Amino acid sequence: MSTPHINAEKGDFAKTVLMPGDPLRAKYIAENFLTDVRQVNEVRAMFGYTGKYKDKPVSVMASGMGMPSMGIYSYELYHFFDVDNIIRIGTAGAVSDRLALRDVVIAMSCATNSNFAAQYRLPGTFAPTADYGLIKLAEEKLKAIGKNVHIGTVFCSDTFYDDADSLKQWQKLGVLAIEMESVALYLNAARAGKKALCICTVSDCPLRNEECTAQERQTTFNDMIRTALECAADIESSFD
Ligand code: HPA
């Protein structure tokens, strides 16, 4: 059952899919962390793979950048490929002064300037929220490897080059970090009755003009990949 954006069959994806933004990151994860790997999508070079981690089935597929792209892929994975859990693994910019480069943020909830939820014609506003079980699992795994973890609200923006003054308004509300995909993922999960989590490493601090080196990005990204894979393996083990 292929869709306009994913050329795969129904059983081609595992129940849990890790989603980095960048297709080359998806390829990197498949090649370096999974065994028994096969490629399940290549449409628009939005690479997707299914393999095994610690003998448990897991998939990894890129989301692309921004909510429209994440919206398309997560919708199709939940509705057409029977995926139950999506864990976004990405980068974010620090908004709170409490965050340092390379810290990890778990997006418990999201503020946004996006109109993604308008499609539901709600009589009010909805608070996009991560699955609590996945938050607890990821927190446990991150702490076990000694990561500095922050759990709270992120600002999910339609724009990468945000005005500094507007970021400071979000800072006053305790927002931890800025990224660009969580809201589409959490809303699609909520509407589909499925589970989602967004874990990000802090790659830059837009308000302080700091950013990680390429090497630092790679190392911290590896920690996050392992964390998400450990979560996926634990979820599968719970069905044994
Ligand atoms: N803004 C938006 N998204 C991001 C950023 C940022 O500064 N850093 C990583 N993802």
Side-chain angles (χ1 to χ4, degrees):
M1 209 285 5
S2 62
T3 67
H5 313 99
I6 303 177
N7 183 20
E9 297 303 317
K10 211 172 183 109
D12 280 344
F13 286 91
K15 289 291 174 198
T16 303
V17 180
L18 269 56
M19 294 196 94
D22 179 355
L24 292 180
R25 293 271 192 203
K27 187 166 186 274
Y28 169 82
I29 296 166
E31 286 173 354
N32 293 283
F33 291 83
L34 303 185
T35 58
D36 308 291
V37 182
R38 63 201 170 89
Q39 186 164 349
V40 290
N41 191 53
E42 58 179 17
V43 179
R44 288 178 184 251
M46 203 59 83
F47 302 135
Y49 306 85
T50 295
K52 288 191 169 167
Y53 178 76
K54 295 191 172 169
D55 256 0
K56 304 288 180 197
V58 59
S59 296
V60 49
M61 184 167 137
S63 68
M65 285 184 284
M67 286 175 264
S69 187
M70 171 57 96
I72 290 169
Y73 293 107
S74 56
Y75 186 96
E76 293 186 1
L77 290 172
Y78 284 137
H79 289 274
F80 307 133
F81 295 99
D82 279 352
V83 168
D84 288 337
N85 314 290
I86 295 179
I87 305 177
R88 161 168 151 69
I89 43 175
T91 55
V95 173
S96 163
D97 282 336
R98 290 193 290 118
L99 266 63
L101 289 174
R102 301 191 303 275
D103 282 359
V104 180
V105 176
I106 294 179
M108 181 160 73
S109 59
C110 325
T112 192
N113 55 10
S114 151
N115 229 3
F116 196 91
Q119 63 179 305
Y120 307 123
R121 297 165 205 250
L122 300 169
T125 49
F126 180 80
T129 309
D131 176 75
Y132 181 61
L134 290 180
I135 294 177
K136 278 202 302 187
L137 199 54
E139 179 188 23
E140 183 189 302
K141 305 285 180 200
L142 286 162
K143 289 199 167 149
I145 54 167
K147 295 301 284 187
N148 217 358
V149 194
H150 305 264
I151 305 176
T153 310
V154 299
F155 170 51
C156 187
S157 183
D158 268 336
T159 44
F160 183 86
Y161 296 102
D162 289 278
D163 194 273
D165 285 344
S166 81
L167 280 188
K168 284 183 188 148
Q169 299 304 316
W170 294 111
Q171 194 184 46
K172 285 182 197 165
L173 285 160
V175 163
L176 297 174
I178 174 172
E179 55 80 61
M180 300 180 69
E181 290 81 20
S182 56
V183 161
L185 175 60
Y186 289 2
L187 288 177
N188 275 342
R191 191 67 183 80
K194 307 248 177 157
K195 297 179 180 180
L197 183 69
C198 170
I199 312 171
C200 292
T201 58
V202 176
S203 60
D204 60 291
C205 302
L207 290 171
R208 304 199 294 263
N209 279 331
E210 296 168 11
E211 61 181 20
C212 282
T213 62
Q215 181 59 47
E216 285 169 336
R217 270 177 196 253
Q218 196 59 54
T219 313
T220 52
F221 202 73
N222 285 347
D223 289 340
M224 195 169 47
I225 294 167
R226 272 201 199 288
T227 300
L229 287 171
E230 288 289 333
C231 292
D234 271 24
I235 295 167
E236 277 295 325
S237 301
S238 66
F239 301 127
D240 287 350

